[in-house]
Coordinates of all heavy atoms in Angstrom, one line a residue:
V678 N 38.7 -5.2 56.9 CA 39.8 -5.5 55.9 C 40.6 -4.2 55.8 O 40.0 -3.2 55.6 CB 39.1 -5.9 54.7 CG1 40.1 -6.3 53.6 CG2 38.1 -7.0 54.8
K681 N 42.9 -6.6 60.4 CA 42.6 -7.2 61.5 C 43.8 -7.8 62.2 O 43.9 -8.1 63.3 CB 41.6 -8.3 61.2 CG 40.2 -7.9 61.0 CD 39.2 -8.9 60.7 CE 37.8 -8.4 60.3 NZ 36.9 -9.3 60.0
F682 N 44.9 -8.2 61.4 CA 46.1 -8.7 61.9 C 46.8 -7.7 62.6 O 47.4 -7.9 63.8 CB 46.8 -9.6 60.9 CG 46.2 -10.6 60.3 CD1 45.5 -10.5 59.1 CD2 45.9 -11.8 60.9 CE1 45.0 -11.6 58.4 CE2 45.1 -12.9 60.5 CZ 44.8 -12.8 59.1
D720 N 33.9 -12.2 65.4 CA 33.4 -12.7 64.2 C 32.9 -14.2 64.4 O 31.9 -14.5 63.8 CB 34.5 -12.7 63.0 CG 34.8 -11.4 62.4 OD1 33.8 -10.7 62.4 OD2 35.9 -11.2 61.8
G745 N 38.6 -20.9 52.9 CA 39.1 -19.6 53.0 C 40.1 -19.6 54.2 O 39.8 -20.4 55.3
A746 N 41.1 -19.0 54.1 CA 42.1 -19.0 55.3 C 42.7 -17.6 55.6 O 43.8 -17.3 56.0 CB 43.2 -19.9 55.0
G747 N 41.7 -16.6 55.2 CA 42.1 -15.1 55.5 C 41.7 -14.8 56.9 O 41.4 -15.6 57.8
G748 N 41.5 -13.5 57.2 CA 41.1 -13.0 58.4 C 39.8 -13.4 59.0 O 39.6 -13.8 60.1
A749 N 38.8 -13.7 58.1 CA 37.5 -14.0 58.4 C 37.6 -15.5 58.9 O 37.1 -15.8 60.0 CB 36.6 -13.9 57.4
S750 N 38.1 -16.3 58.2 CA 38.2 -17.7 58.6 C 39.0 -17.9 59.9 O 38.7 -18.8 60.7 CB 38.7 -18.7 57.4 OG 37.8 -18.7 56.3
N769 N 41.4 -24.1 51.1 CA 41.7 -22.8 50.7 C 42.5 -22.9 49.4 O 43.2 -23.9 49.1 CB 42.6 -22.0 51.8 CG 42.8 -20.6 51.5 OD1 41.9 -19.8 51.2 ND2 44.1 -20.2 51.6
R770 N 42.4 -21.8 48.6 CA 43.2 -21.8 47.3 C 44.7 -21.9 47.6 O 45.4 -22.7 46.8 CB 42.9 -20.4 46.7 CG 43.5 -20.1 45.3 CD 43.0 -18.7 44.8 NE 43.3 -17.6 45.6 CZ 43.0 -16.4 45.4 NH1 42.3 -16.1 44.3 NH2 43.4 -15.5 46.1
S771 N 45.2 -21.2 48.6 CA 46.7 -21.6 48.9 C 46.7 -22.5 50.1 O 46.4 -22.1 51.1 CB 47.3 -20.1 49.5 OG 47.1 -19.1 48.5
K774 N 48.3 -22.0 53.6 CA 47.7 -21.1 54.6 C 46.6 -22.0 55.4 O 46.3 -21.7 56.6 CB 47.0 -20.0 53.8 CG 47.9 -18.8 53.4 CD 47.2 -17.7 53.2 CE 47.7 -16.7 52.1 NZ 46.8 -15.7 51.7
L798 N 41.3 -26.8 47.3 CA 40.0 -26.4 46.8 C 39.5 -27.5 45.9 O 38.4 -27.9 45.8 CB 39.9 -25.1 46.1 CG 40.0 -23.9 46.8 CD1 39.7 -22.6 45.9 CD2 38.9 -23.9 48.0
G811 N 34.0 -18.5 53.5 CA 34.7 -17.4 54.0 C 35.7 -16.7 53.1 O 36.7 -16.1 53.7
T812 N 35.7 -17.1 51.9 CA 36.6 -16.5 50.9 C 36.2 -15.1 50.4 O 35.0 -14.8 50.6 CB 37.0 -17.3 49.6 OG1 35.7 -17.2 48.8 CG2 37.2 -18.9 49.9
A813 N 37.0 -14.4 49.8 CA 36.6 -13.1 49.2 C 36.1 -13.3 47.8 O 36.1 -12.3 47.0 CB 37.7 -12.2 49.3
A814 N 35.8 -14.5 47.4 CA 35.5 -14.8 45.9 C 34.2 -14.2 45.6 O 34.1 -13.5 44.5 CB 35.3 -16.3 45.7
L816 N 33.1 -11.3 46.8 CA 33.4 -9.8 46.7 C 34.0 -9.5 45.6 O 33.7 -8.4 44.9 CB 34.3 -9.6 48.0 CG 34.8 -8.2 48.2 CD1 33.5 -7.3 48.7 CD2 35.8 -8.2 49.4
S817 N 34.9 -10.3 44.9 CA 35.7 -10.1 43.7 C 34.9 -10.6 42.4 O 35.4 -10.4 41.4 CB 37.0 -10.6 43.8 OG 36.9 -12.0 43.8
G819 N 34.2 -13.6 41.8 CA 35.0 -14.7 41.4 C 34.2 -16.1 41.2 O 34.7 -17.1 40.9
P822 N 34.0 -21.1 44.5 CA 35.2 -21.6 44.2 C 35.3 -23.2 44.2 O 36.5 -23.8 44.1 CB 36.3 -21.1 45.2 CG 35.5 -20.1 46.1 CD 34.0 -20.3 45.8
M837 N 29.7 -15.6 53.7 CA 30.0 -14.3 54.7 C 29.6 -13.1 54.0 O 29.4 -12.1 54.6 CB 31.3 -14.4 55.2 CG 31.6 -15.6 56.1 SD 33.1 -15.3 57.1 CE 33.5 -16.9 57.6
M838 N 29.6 -13.1 52.6 CA 29.2 -11.7 51.8 C 27.8 -11.5 52.0 O 26.9 -12.5 52.4 CB 29.8 -12.0 50.5 CG 29.8 -10.8 49.6 SD 31.1 -9.7 50.3 CE 30.1 -8.3 50.4
Y839 N 27.4 -10.4 51.8 CA 25.9 -10.0 51.8 C 25.7 -9.0 50.7 O 26.6 -8.4 50.1 CB 25.4 -9.6 53.1 CG 26.1 -8.5 53.7 CD1 25.8 -7.2 53.6 CD2 27.3 -8.7 54.5 CE1 26.5 -6.1 54.2 CE2 28.0 -7.7 55.1 CZ 27.8 -6.4 54.9 OH 28.4 -5.5 55.3
G860 N 25.7 -13.3 54.7 CA 26.5 -12.8 55.9 C 25.9 -11.9 56.7 O 26.5 -11.4 57.6
L861 N 24.6 -11.5 56.4 CA 24.1 -10.3 57.1 C 23.8 -10.6 58.6 O 24.2 -9.8 59.5 CB 22.7 -9.9 56.4 CG 22.2 -8.5 56.9 CD1 23.2 -7.5 56.2 CD2 20.9 -8.2 56.2
M863 N 25.4 -12.8 60.4 CA 26.7 -12.8 61.0 C 27.4 -11.4 61.4 O 27.8 -11.1 62.5 CB 27.8 -13.5 60.2 CG 29.2 -13.3 60.6 SD 30.3 -14.1 59.4 CE 31.9 -13.8 60.2
L864 N 27.0 -10.5 60.5 CA 27.5 -9.1 60.6 C 26.8 -8.6 61.9 O 27.4 -7.7 62.6 CB 27.1 -8.2 59.3 CG 27.4 -6.9 59.4 CD1 28.9 -6.6 59.2 CD2 26.7 -6.0 58.3
Q867 N 28.0 -10.3 65.2 CA 29.4 -9.9 65.6 C 29.4 -8.5 66.3 O 30.1 -8.1 67.0 CB 30.5 -10.2 64.5 CG 30.2 -9.4 63.3 CD 30.8 -7.9 63.3 OE1 31.6 -7.6 64.2 NE2 30.3 -7.0 62.6
S902 N 30.8 -3.6 52.8 CA 31.8 -4.2 53.4 C 31.5 -4.4 54.9 O 30.8 -3.5 55.4 CB 33.2 -3.6 53.2 OG 33.1 -2.3 53.8
P903 N 32.0 -5.4 55.6 CA 31.7 -5.4 57.1 C 32.2 -4.4 58.0 O 33.0 -3.7 57.6 CB 32.3 -6.8 57.4 CG 33.3 -7.1 56.3 CD 32.9 -6.3 55.1
Ligands
NDP2193 P1 41.1 -11.9 53.4 O1 41.5 -11.0 52.3 O2 41.9 -12.0 54.7 O3 41.2 -13.5 52.8 C1 40.5 -13.8 51.6 C2 40.4 -15.3 51.5 O4 39.8 -15.5 50.2 C3 41.7 -16.0 51.2 O5 41.5 -17.3 51.9 C4 41.9 -16.3 49.8 O6 42.6 -17.3 49.3 C5 40.5 -16.4 49.3 N1 40.1 -15.9 48.0 C6 40.0 -14.6 47.5 N2 39.7 -14.7 46.2 C7 39.4 -16.0 45.9 C8 38.9 -16.6 44.7 N3 38.5 -16.0 43.7 N4 38.8 -17.9 44.8 C9 39.0 -18.7 45.9 N5 39.6 -18.2 47.0 C10 39.8 -16.7 47.1 O7 39.5 -11.6 53.5 P2 38.6 -11.8 54.8 O8 38.9 -13.3 55.3 O9 38.9 -10.7 55.9 O10 37.2 -11.8 54.4 C11 36.6 -12.8 53.5 C12 35.3 -12.4 53.1 O11 34.4 -12.5 54.3 C13 35.1 -11.1 52.6 O12 34.1 -11.1 51.5 C14 34.5 -10.3 53.6 O13 33.6 -9.2 53.3 C15 33.6 -11.4 54.4 N6 33.4 -11.1 55.9 C16 32.2 -10.9 56.3 C17 31.9 -10.7 57.7 C18 30.5 -10.7 58.1 O14 30.3 -10.2 59.4 N7 29.5 -11.0 57.4 C19 32.9 -10.5 58.7 C20 34.3 -10.7 58.1 C21 34.5 -10.9 56.7 P3 44.3 -17.3 49.3 O15 44.7 -17.4 50.7 O16 44.7 -18.2 48.4 O17 44.6 -15.8 48.8

Side-chain angles (χ1 to χ4, degrees):
V678 187
K681 288 183 182 182
F682 298 108
D720 280 338
S750 292
N769 192 46
R770 187 173 57 181
S771 313
K774 284 197 208 165
L798 286 184
T812 73
L816 186 62
S817 62
M837 291 192 195
M838 197 62 232
Y839 53 91
L861 199 63
M863 173 185 175
L864 179 75
Q867 62 79 28
S902 64

